[in-house]
Amino acid sequence: QFWNRIMMEHALFIRGLLDPTEDELINTADNFAKDYCRLLEEAVREQKGTEDKRMTETSIDLPVSAFIPESYIRDHSRRIGAYKKIAAIDSRDTLYDVYDEIEDRYGTVPETVANLMEIALIKSFASRLGIAEMTGSADRIIMRFDIDNLPDMQELLTIMNENPKKIFMTNQSNPSLHYMIDKPKPVDESKYLKEVCGFVQRMYGEE
């Protein structure tokens, strides 16, 4: 399991360094990564005796304002209750439900609260994908994986191949996935979060 993981990381690292025009080398690196990914997944399933996927605790640090202002929900216990509802968001439908409930109860939802809901949804998908850490700047998102809870790497390779300049792997010793943000300046927080969420949804297999 250890060497399968190392070889898969090595193949992904090399693939990230290749020029997009080097089709033959890219295909070779992809095939190596897929083979070792398959062996790693089989070894993990054999060790655990199950195909059930656990959740990863995900930390997220993105350059947006996301909180519930005291001026919006003045009562402390109700504000905590709203935070709990938002933290439980796990799909676009539940986000809409929570949004409507909070809006009906407290009035027009501030942008910082809408951002918080979007981040909750991002975190839900990231946790299921085995993303342990997600950090962002104006022009890119960097994701680091829980090595014992990897996503479907073959699906990830497919996504990377579609736009290798926008999505790529770096750092052989601690692989990280980089996703370049469209039109980084000026930063529109709502569009920024929706783009990030759309990407992790795609990784999860939802369009």
Side-chain angles (χ1 to χ4, degrees), residues 70-86:
E70 290 186 20
S71 59
Y72 183 60
I73 303 179
R74 297 187 180 277
D75 183 81
H76 177 74
S77 61
R78 290 183 178 181
R79 195 162 61 252
I80 294 300
Y83 272 116
K84 289 180 178 179
K85 285 182 181 294
I86 291 172

Side-chain angles (χ1 to χ4, degrees), residues 93-182:
D93 286 341
T94 57
L95 185 151
Y96 291 148
D97 290 342
V98 172
Y99 188 102
D100 289 344
E101 179 181 344
I102 289 178
E103 185 174 50
D104 288 345
R105 194 166 189 178
Y106 302 108
T108 303
V109 176
E111 182 179 8
T112 58
V113 180
N115 288 349
L116 190 63
M117 294 181 191
E118 203 72 33
I119 288 175
L121 182 55
I122 291 170
K123 185 170 184 177
S124 175
F125 283 117
S127 178
R128 284 175 276 174
L129 284 164
I131 297 171
E133 180 182 342
M134 177 184 290
T135 57
S137 60
D139 65 343
R140 76 181 62 203
I141 302 294
I142 301 174
M143 289 159 274
R144 294 181 175 85
F145 294 97
D146 174 357
I147 202 67
D148 295 319
N149 191 30
L150 293 171
D152 183 341
M153 300 304 287
Q154 295 189 22
E155 176 64 22
L156 180 55
L157 285 169
T158 298
I159 296 172
M160 289 169 60
N161 283 336
E162 292 175 0
N163 199 336
K165 291 186 177 180
K166 185 178 179 68
I167 308 163
F168 53 89
M169 281 277 193
T170 62
N171 194 344
Q172 180 182 357
S173 61
N174 184 20
S176 58
L177 178 67
H178 290 236
Y179 176 79
M180 306 305 294
I181 297 292
D182 290 333

Side-chain angles (χ1 to χ4, degrees), residues 3-5 34 41 60 73 99 106 108 125 144 197:
W3 287 112
N4 286 336
R5 184 185 71 194
K34 288 176 182 179
E41 290 173 345
I60 294 182
I73 303 179
Y99 188 102
Y106 302 108
T108 303
F125 283 117
R144 294 181 175 85
C197 191

